[in-house]
Amino acid sequence: MAALDGSEAPAKLKGKYAAMIVCWLLGIGCLFSWNSMLTIEDYYVYIFPHYHPSRVLTLVYQPFALGTIAVLTYNEAKINTRLRNLFGYALFFLSTLLVLVLDLATSGKGGIGTFIGVCAISGAFGVADAHVQGGMVGDLSFMQPEFIQSFLAGLAASGALTSALRLITKAAFDNSQDGLRKGAILFFAICTFFELLCVLLYAYIFPKLDIVKHYRSKAASEGSKTVSADLAAGGIQTLLKPEAQEDPKQLERLSSKELLLQNIDYAIDMFLIYVLTLSIFPGFLSEDTGTHSLGGWYALVLIAMSK
């Protein structure tokens, strides 16, 4: 997408605050599924006691996320942004639904076959995250700063919200027979519904907001080739400016390698942060807990506090 100057949209355009709310919800949805899998570790440790799910699921997730984002980065200029984000949110929804279906189909029983299925879903979460997080950040970076701030705030809030939701669903069935599984099923069902909501918000609500159409039209007028589907979803058909078509220099961009070299310090920082974080969370926190008075609640409380 062509870089914009970041100027404010005309005051008469409506939808700024609606767009901020939608961006916040979409930010939550970007990590809601993966955080739900991390937060449900008390249940997975119970049904997969010999497979160390809190460690293995993270190791499965990350290669899929990293590999997918590398491919998407290499082909960034050719990718339809709308289809990329829609695919990501739809995959989040379907994968979260599969977690619920897998548990219901196996009646909550463990085993290597079920665990492999859960690992496959964890890999799908990595693929979906690579599509959505990079696509949404790139898309919103060319709009008002408040939009990407709201989206990133949603990313930050998703961990706390999933932890709170898990604590509530666990408490709701704490004293009932098979309460651990019943709470997990309710938790999965709510997560699935929320991911479906994100698909609908991005597909039908966000592209039709006036202020969003303004920025996407501006991007298209400056040479962007990745927003045509977004504009069509908002009811706008636009072409490149004639002068942009006649002057190829207006469409020149740095290569992915040049961008990486210019931002190598940030890339190294991100890599080291992920290495440090994944060395501790969630495997060490959720498994090496010893014996405490909180019992089965200890790992959940510890994970909630870490988020």
Side-chain angles (χ1 to χ4, degrees):
M1 184 181 292
L4 304 182
D5 58 11
S7 60
E8 294 293 317
K12 66 180 181 180
L13 291 178
K14 298 179 181 179
K16 175 181 177 180
Y17 294 106
M20 290 173 62
I21 294 173
V22 172
C23 288
W24 186 69
L25 292 173
L26 292 175
I28 294 175
C30 184
L31 286 180
F32 203 69
S33 294
W34 173 235
N35 277 321
S36 70
M37 184 163 280
L38 297 181
T39 309
I40 204 70
E41 290 295 349
D42 64 319
Y43 179 61
Y44 280 154
V45 168
Y46 173 75
I47 64 174
F48 304 120
H50 305 298
Y51 302 136
H52 305 285
S54 60
R55 303 174 190 271
V56 174
L57 293 180
T58 303
L59 293 176
V60 171
Y61 170 90
Q62 286 300 329
F64 280 94
L66 183 61
T68 304
I69 198 66
V71 173
L72 292 173
T73 300
Y74 183 78
N75 297 287
E76 174 271 332
K78 305 174 185 177
I79 295 174
N80 183 313
T81 304
R82 176 175 172 79
L83 291 181
R84 170 179 175 168
N85 291 332
L86 275 177
F87 174 81
Y89 279 116
L91 185 57
F92 271 134
F93 164 66
L94 293 174
S95 300
T96 310
L97 179 61
L98 281 177
V99 174
L100 179 60
V101 170
L102 182 63
D103 187 85
L104 293 174
T106 59
S107 300
K109 297 179 181 179
I112 187 63
T114 304
F115 185 65
I116 291 174
V118 173
C119 288
I121 294 172
S122 178
F125 283 155
V127 174
D129 184 25
H131 278 80
V132 171
Q133 193 164 168
M136 287 298 298
V137 169
D139 194 10
L140 298 177
S141 294
F142 301 105
M143 301 185 191
Q144 288 192 333
E146 291 88 346
F147 294 175
I148 192 169
Q149 289 168 2
S150 296
F151 180 80
L152 296 178
L155 288 177
S158 64
L161 290 175
T162 50
S163 291
L165 179 61
R166 179 61 188 134
L167 291 171
I168 292 171
T169 55
K170 183 179 177 67
F173 298 97
D174 194 35
N175 297 319
S176 64
Q177 184 178 5
D178 201 18
L180 181 62
R181 181 169 180 255
K182 290 177 181 178
I185 289 175
L186 178 60
F187 178 75
F188 289 143
I190 295 174
C191 292
T192 301
F193 173 79
F194 185 81
E195 290 298 346
L196 176 60
L197 175 64
C198 288
V199 173
L200 298 176
L201 285 174
Y202 186 80
Y204 299 108
I205 304 300
F206 191 65
K208 295 183 180 180
L209 296 174
D210 288 345
I211 196 166
V212 173
K213 290 191 286 186
H214 163 78
Y215 281 111
R216 284 175 170 167
S217 297
K218 195 170 191 297
S221 71
E222 296 189 3
S224 173
K225 298 179 181 179
T226 63
V227 295
S228 57
D230 295 304
L231 292 171
I236 297 176
Q237 298 292 337
T238 187
L239 299 173
L240 294 177
K241 287 183 177 180
E243 57 269 27
Q245 294 176 327
E246 295 173 2
D247 186 4
K249 291 184 178 181
Q250 292 192 26
L251 305 181
E252 288 182 357
R253 60 186 295 274
L254 296 177
S255 67
S256 297
K257 180 179 179 180
E258 290 171 329
L259 288 171
L260 175 62
L261 291 177
Q262 286 189 7
N263 298 277
I264 191 65
D265 51 340
Y266 295 110
I268 293 174
D269 288 344
M270 288 293 294
F271 175 77
L272 293 177
I273 289 171
Y274 268 90
V275 169
L276 176 61
T277 301
L278 296 176
S279 297
I280 302 172
F281 178 85
F284 177 79
L285 286 183
S286 63
E287 288 194 10
D288 303 323
T289 56
T291 302
H292 301 273
S293 59
L294 287 174
W297 286 86
Y298 184 78
L300 283 182
V301 173
L302 195 60
I303 289 175
M305 293 301 99
S306 69
K307 292 180 179 181

